[in-house]
Amino acid sequence: MIPIYKPYMPEKIGDVVTEILYSGQLGYGNYGRNFESKLKSFVGCEFILSVSSYNVGMQIVLSTLGLQLGDEVIASPVSCLASNQPFAVKGLRVVWADVNALTGTMCPDYVRSKITKNTKAIFHNHFCGYLGNIDEINAIGKEFGIPVIDDGIEAFASRYKGKRLGNVGTDITVFSFQTVRLPNTIDGGAIVFKDKTLYEKALLIRDYGIDRTIFRTSNGEINPKCDIKIEGFAGLISELNSYIGIRQMEDIEKLLGIQHDNALVWNKKFENTDSMHSLVITSESIPNYWVYGTLCKNKIEAIKDFKQSGLYATGVHINNNVYSVFNNKIHLKGVEAFMKYFVAIPCGWWFNNK
């Protein structure tokens, strides 16, 4: 059966991997900085930092924004649990936004209706690599002075108005490089900032709040004059993970091209079908086609039929507003309709769609 996800790994990396393992330099260093440089060039951004995992990246974002226990954030329940679990860890109040039942993307009007004086951030998830209404959500954030965070956990390399996500005018963007993503660093991620001040704050938070330029004295001892003023995490990505990321970035355009070609084939196959159709794509956007999204009249039967034909099909995620950890089991009409019909099928680099 053709899998819905598959980890990519470049060939012939063993020699350098062995070299890194015995180099005495395993923590963040030259490979880490090189990886960030490649990410900057690809995304088209200036302020980007790599992190050891997507979860750590989200925690860094929450700390950088100064979010505190009880603060409200608006988020989509149509997303990976990994996107929303950090809110529970931080003790934030999650206000769920409804979605467009044809696209799975946050409804701008609904987001606007949920803004209060306690709203501190809007987390805009781009479900399975399909981008939402970026300009509209960003405009709402700007109008109310609320930061908008593009949650690109599954959307690295997706495009909006010809630009990669991370370079579309949003305040902050978070990416995952976990095993089934492109690129994958086995585990890892990245954060993009539009604002240099927030970026510089996040650099400290990524490394326990330490300013490494003054952390040690000339004789190598910890400098007592280097004060730690903010909370921080062990968020630095290793040299091994960074090297794998570098090698993956060398191949990413080719891999994305295969996924796009596979999607074109699916588009034609679903043009004249009554029982299912392709997921609607928001205006001026191009998904990364991590998966290919469909809407099926009978989801259970469609998944069964796809699997019988040799294609692994799945709903991917369950809407997060059903989980009691978020203490907000709200009824959302668009969310329920979308989840009732959404089915993802393979579109990845690992197969030739004919």
Side-chain angles (χ1 to χ4, degrees), residues 32-138:
R33 287 183 282 271
N34 190 359
F35 181 42
E36 289 173 343
S37 178
K38 289 187 177 296
L39 292 172
K40 288 180 183 180
S41 297
F42 183 82
V43 174
C45 60
E46 184 177 359
F47 305 119
I48 188 168
L49 54 86
S50 58
V51 289
S52 56
S53 72
Y54 169 83
N55 182 271
V56 167
M58 285 290 289
Q59 297 289 355
I60 290 171
V61 168
L62 299 180
S63 293
T64 301
L65 293 175
L67 299 186
Q68 302 293 324
L69 180 70
D71 285 344
E72 290 183 4
V73 295
I74 297 175
S76 171
V78 178
S79 57
C80 179
L81 176 60
S83 295
N84 297 314
Q85 185 65 279
F87 306 143
V89 173
K90 195 77 171 179
L92 305 178
R93 180 174 183 271
V94 183
V95 177
W96 297 122
D98 205 357
V99 303
N100 183 323
L102 296 177
T103 63
T105 60
M106 292 173 69
C107 296
D109 289 343
Y110 194 95
V111 170
R112 175 185 291 276
S113 73
K114 292 300 175 180
I115 291 177
T116 71
K117 63 180 181 180
N118 298 318
T119 306
K120 303 301 181 183
I122 301 170
F123 284 80
H124 190 187
N125 179 266
H126 303 287
F127 187 70
C128 286
Y130 287 76
L131 299 183
N133 298 290
I134 290 173
D135 283 352
E136 291 86 343
I137 297 296
N138 286 354

Side-chain angles (χ1 to χ4, degrees), residues 34 111 166 190 233 280 285:
N34 190 359
V111 170
F233 301 90
V280 175
S285 72

